[in-house]
Amino acid sequence: MLGASGFVGGGLWTYLTHRHDVVGTFATRPVAGLVRVDLRDERRLAELVADGFDLVVHAAGLVPLEAAEADPELAHRLNVRPVEVLLDAVRGTAAKLVLLSSDNVFDGTRHQYTEEDRRRPVNVYGRTKVAAEDLLLAEGGHLVVRIPLVFGRGPWSNSFLARLAGPTTTARTDLVCAPVYLPSLGPALARLWDRTGVVHYGGSDVVTRFELMSGVQQALDLPTRVVATSGQEAGAGCRRPPRLVLRSTRHPLLGPALGPALAHLAGLPRT
Ligand SMILES: NC(=O)c1ccc[n+]([C@@H]2O[C@H](COP(=O)([O-])OP(=O)(O)OC[C@H]3O[C@@H](n4cnc5c(N)ncnc54)[C@H](OP(=O)(O)O)[C@@H]3O)[C@@H](O)[C@H]2O)c1
């Protein structure tokens, strides 16, 4: 599991490590039990994944959209090039690669997106995800799992809740998503990882970013004021697809509805 120190990777790690023999990695945020690897250290990365794994789940890379937009070259080095290295390393072995990709491969102009829909990224992050997907899919036998915005409390990395850490936060009313709840990802992945090609895993409910953030703020009774905003008010920044709803023609799985997910989140210990 590459990127086990991250928000999504941490959630997956917590689920998988109780059921499988998993080696997880970190880069800059050490976590007990994880091994350090930098995606740019190609020899180390190749040696690590060539170690007889059945599955290599790749959840590492440059994720904040603004960071990718600000430095496209770094985004390529962290999101695309490592996939080539991984493919070279596992070629001819029994290992299957599972790449976590994103709904940002789409432009957000359609009501919803299935695996058959054409990708048309509108930002650097989305373009790196398309490039990484293409590498993996050209090879055959591997799997791309596209996921939407993930919400919840990570075991050690709380990049989602960090947005609600200050006294106020803004959330867009003109961005629509079908977010998935972090704890649902591990079980979903385990049910999908026998597949090859592309699968989508979306959340049941379709909400605006403002509705999601307000729901989380209320569920956790946080002192943060969530202020509604729109792209116009937020300024130019990084282009974001306005409506991203992932649906699948390949399986019936969907993440839990927002209400039960928020109730579960509210009951988790706060670390
Ligand atoms: N979060 C979402 O809502 C969301 C939505 C769709 C898709 N995804 C996909 O899910 C995956 C994980 O996202 P996330 O939200 O968990 O991101 P994150 O919290 O930023 O975690 C990123 C992970 O990548 C690692 N990493 C970063 N630079 C690295 C480098 N140079 N070498 C090795 N590892 C490096 C980080 O390690 P350190 O922290 O130790 O440096 C961390 O483990 C990504 O592929 C992302 O595109 C996420």
Side-chain angles (χ1 to χ4, degrees):
M1 154 81 48
L2 299 165
S5 56
F7 172 61
V8 169
L12 290 175
W13 164 264
T14 306
Y15 177 81
L16 296 176
T17 200
H18 290 116
R19 295 160 180 84
H20 303 275
D21 191 8
V22 193
V23 173
T25 75
F26 72 94
T28 59
R29 292 177 284 185
V31 175
L34 303 184
V35 301
R36 185 193 298 270
V37 68
D38 191 302
L39 293 168
R40 291 162 293 188
D41 185 346
E42 298 189 0
R43 188 196 290 186
R44 165 106 175 92
L45 183 61
E47 281 171 5
L48 179 72
V49 298
D51 202 16
F53 297 106
D54 300 318
L55 216 60
V56 176
V57 179
H58 182 22
L62 186 66
V63 181
L65 268 60
E66 290 76 13
E69 208 67 19
D71 195 340
E73 198 187 315
L74 180 67
H76 189 276
R77 282 177 72 198
L78 294 182
N79 292 352
V80 185
R81 174 63 191 154
V83 175
E84 283 180 304
V85 176
L86 293 174
L87 284 167
D88 286 345
V90 302
R91 195 169 292 122
T93 75
K96 175 180 193 169
L97 287 182
V98 176
L99 172 72
L100 285 191
S101 189
S102 161
D103 52 6
N104 267 271
V105 297
F106 298 114
D107 65 7
T109 57
R110 292 177 68 105
H111 186 64
Q112 63 183 40
Y113 291 93
T114 70
E115 292 91 348
E116 284 74 39
D117 283 310
R118 186 166 163 218
R119 300 164 304 169
R120 208 193 299 252
V122 299
N123 51 45
V124 170
Y125 170 76
R127 285 194 280 280
T128 64
K129 287 300 193 182
V130 166
E133 287 187 357
D134 284 345
L135 288 167
L136 207 84
L137 295 173
E139 196 90 6
H142 300 294
L143 178 66
V144 169
V145 182
R146 292 194 192 123
I147 57 173
L149 178 70
V150 182
F151 69 100
R153 188 183 291 281
W156 32 72
S157 166
N158 278 316
S159 55
F160 176 79
L161 288 178
R163 298 169 210 195
L164 288 164
T168 61
T169 189
T170 55
R172 301 258 303 253
T173 53
D174 57 349
L175 293 181
V176 173
C177 57
V180 294
Y181 184 45
L182 183 64
S184 76
L185 270 182
L189 186 67
R191 289 182 63 182
L192 294 172
W193 67 34
D194 284 344
R195 312 287 184 109
T196 57
V198 181
V199 292
H200 286 182
Y201 178 61
S204 300
D205 286 335
V206 177
V207 291
T208 66
R209 291 290 191 106
F210 176 72
E211 287 167 335
L212 174 66
M213 299 314 279
S214 300
V216 172
Q217 180 270 328
Q218 283 162 26
L220 295 177
D221 196 21
L222 298 172
T224 311
R225 195 165 67 91
V226 183
V227 180
T229 187
S230 71
Q232 269 181 336
E233 295 154 15
C238 173
R239 253 186 98 189
R240 286 169 188 271
R243 181 184 173 92
L244 289 173
V245 177
L246 291 182
R247 292 293 177 255
S248 180
T249 56
R250 299 192 63 194
H251 63 82
L253 295 181
L254 280 175
L258 205 53
L262 291 178
H264 182 270
L265 177 63
L268 290 180
R270 301 182 186 203
T271 49

